[in-house]
Amino acid sequence: MELGLVLPHSGPTAAPEFIRDFALTAEEAGIHGLWAVDHLVLPRHVASPYVLGRRPVPVAAGWLAEHLSPNYELMTTLSWVAGMTRTISLGTSVSVLPIRNPVANARQLASLDALSGGRLWYGAGVGWMREEADVMGLPWDRRGARSDEHIAVLRALWSGDDRYVEFHGSFYDFDQVDRCPQPVGGTIPILIGGHSEAALNRAARLGDGWIAAPMPPQRLSELLSRLRVHRECEGTPATDFRVVAATNFTDFDTFGRSIATYRELAVDHLQVLLGLDLRI
């Protein structure tokens, strides 16, 4: 099982020097991956409940900015870290598809993958905070279907031998455009985030893997069982499907036992969050 760390690019302690030193130390220590979290906007007032726990919970006014600001942007941070590292993998955990244009997203991701030597893993989901999309001026309705088509656009622009690609869907429609640069391996692995039945099905149906938010091993085991059912129904190949879990570091004794438990659950990669849980 691989070990990864979430970059300290969000929250009161976030600073360029700290992010740089953290990334370089992680690579020198042999950590397998560095992950960045995603919020393009931190609204003061949020009516949308946070839904990644066992039950939805409200978000207090000002909580996001109080705990997550300064919030260095996901792709910019990963690009900066890619330039100072050489071998460690880079991942998004997770990028919110509805608040991004898929063509711009495909180009940014392909550029980062090519410039970093093929080190990128793209964790993506449909998001939970409508207010973020509202501020961006982007639609929130049918975000599941929009996200499915967003993924189709990404793969269309990344893969294939033809110089030009066109796409004609329900939400995105464009004639032939140049697809270069392309990712190093011809595509970028997409890990689907989310814990709902729809998200688990999306992971089985469209993903190269599934990425979970931090949770105890018992709950992870329950979700993995549900994911297994969706994979069987969708006929997802058993090989090359990665499971990425996450946990918060507490103390060495507890962490050592946790690692063994996650390994027993056949987790491929375990993200470790040091300090504040940045996922909300």
Side-chain angles (χ1 to χ4, degrees):
M1 182 178 68
E2 299 174 352
L3 287 179
L5 294 174
V6 176
L7 286 162
H9 69 103
S10 188
T13 62
E17 297 81 5
F18 184 26
I19 299 169
R20 180 194 62 221
D21 293 346
F22 188 97
L24 293 174
T25 301
E27 182 170 61
E28 184 179 352
I31 296 297
H32 291 93
L34 292 170
W35 299 84
V37 298
D38 189 26
H39 279 302
L40 281 176
V41 181
L42 301 177
R44 182 177 184 184
H45 298 285
V46 178
S48 303
Y50 179 71
V51 296
L52 291 180
R54 277 197 177 273
R55 59 188 60 84
V57 295
V59 179
W63 191 99
L64 291 174
E66 180 181 349
H67 291 84
L68 304 183
S69 181
N71 174 36
Y72 291 91
E73 192 273 328
L74 170 85
M75 292 299 297
T76 309
T77 301
L78 286 178
S79 298
W80 187 57
V81 169
M84 67 181 69
T85 56
R86 294 293 177 266
T87 59
I88 197 165
S89 67
L90 308 166
T92 64
S93 181
V94 297
S95 176
V96 182
L97 293 170
I99 61 174
R100 287 177 167 77
N101 174 279
V103 177
N105 199 25
R107 182 67 67 246
Q108 289 177 311
L109 291 165
S111 297
L112 174 53
D113 187 76
L115 293 170
S116 68
R119 291 189 275 148
L120 187 61
W121 287 83
Y122 189 52
V126 304
W128 61 272
M129 186 167 51
R130 180 182 188 128
E131 290 79 4
E132 198 167 13
D134 291 344
V135 172
M136 299 294 294
L138 293 169
W140 190 248
D141 67 300
R142 301 184 65 192
R143 71 184 192 278
R146 292 178 186 277
S147 295
D148 286 359
E149 194 164 295
H150 189 133
I151 292 170
V153 171
L154 296 180
R155 289 201 167 116
L157 288 168
W158 289 341
S159 305
D161 297 324
D162 294 335
R163 175 67 181 271
Y164 297 95
V165 64
E166 60 185 77
F167 189 92
H168 305 288
S170 301
F171 306 103
Y172 308 105
D173 188 289
F174 54 87
D175 290 324
Q176 291 187 338
V177 296
D178 179 82
R179 60 158 39 105
C180 297
Q182 291 180 275
V184 170
T187 191
I188 298 168
I190 298 176
L191 309 170
I192 303 298
H195 306 152
S196 68
E197 294 302 321
L200 294 174
N201 178 263
R202 182 172 294 108
R205 180 167 43 89
L206 298 177
D208 299 299
W210 176 62
I211 183 169
M215 65 183 67
Q218 181 179 357
R219 185 176 180 224
L220 180 67
S221 178
E222 297 169 3
L223 289 171
L224 286 173
S225 295
R226 288 160 49 192
L227 175 64
R228 193 173 302 113
V229 172
H230 285 287
R231 291 178 62 187
E232 291 172 354
C233 292
E234 296 294 336
T236 310
T239 58
D240 300 325
F241 187 93
R242 288 172 63 91
V243 172
V244 177
T247 186
N248 293 293
F249 177 84
T250 52
D251 60 73
F252 285 106
D253 291 338
T254 302
F255 184 58
R257 291 193 296 271
S258 295
I259 286 181
T261 304
Y262 286 109
R263 186 180 289 114
E264 290 172 1
L265 291 174
V267 168
D268 297 296
H269 185 107
L270 181 64
Q271 296 181 62
V272 181
L273 291 86
L274 304 178
L276 177 68
D277 184 346
L278 302 176
R279 299 310 182 86
I280 193 166

